[in-house]
Amino acid sequence: MTTTDVSWDAGFEQLLTSVLPRVTGPLDPALDLKAVGLDSMATIELLVRLEDQYDVEIPEDKLTGATFATPGALWAVLAAQRTAAHV
């Protein structure tokens, strides 16, 4: 998967890079978020900020390591919640 395969918006990328300052340049959907500093505290901050920015609630069953493993995985969950919220 390449960056062009993902249709996240600039706000998503900006939010991730603000929480993870070790991320430089465009986000790769397969980037290992733990490798660039996503620890438990950053995960909570990221979750709260995503829910606030996109006016969604990520369900508890999606609060897993797999969801927060890569930008692509996180965007897929977020996009699904955004779609569900508008149905």
Side-chain angles (χ1 to χ4, degrees), residues 15 19 38 40-58 63 68 74 78:
L15 197 151
V19 172
L38 188 68
S40 58
M41 292 301 291
T43 299
I44 293 167
E45 180 180 351
L46 181 58
L47 173 65
V48 169
R49 291 177 66 182
L50 286 169
E51 289 181 336
D52 286 348
Q53 181 166 322
Y54 292 98
D55 196 27
V56 297
E57 185 174 326
I58 298 176
L63 301 178
F68 291 89
L74 183 55
L78 182 62

Side-chain angles (χ1 to χ4, degrees):
M1 182 184 284
T2 65
T3 307
T4 57
D5 296 326
V6 178
S7 59
W8 60 55
D9 59 39
F12 176 76
E13 190 153 337
Q14 183 178 24
L15 197 151
L16 273 175
T17 56
S18 72
V19 172
L20 301 167
R22 287 195 282 172
V23 174
T24 58
L27 279 180
D28 179 334
L31 177 68
D32 180 346
L33 292 177
K34 283 188 179 183
V36 293
L38 188 68
D39 59 16
S40 58
M41 292 301 291
T43 299
I44 293 167
E45 180 180 351
L46 181 58
L47 173 65
V48 169
R49 291 177 66 182
L50 286 169
E51 289 181 336
D52 286 348
Q53 181 166 322
Y54 292 98
D55 196 27
V56 297
E57 185 174 326
I58 298 176
E60 283 188 43
D61 68 331
K62 299 296 183 187
L63 301 178
T64 65
T67 295
F68 291 89
T70 66
L74 183 55
W75 180 255
V77 170
L78 182 62
Q81 291 310 118
R82 292 177 71 197
T83 299
H86 292 95
V87 172

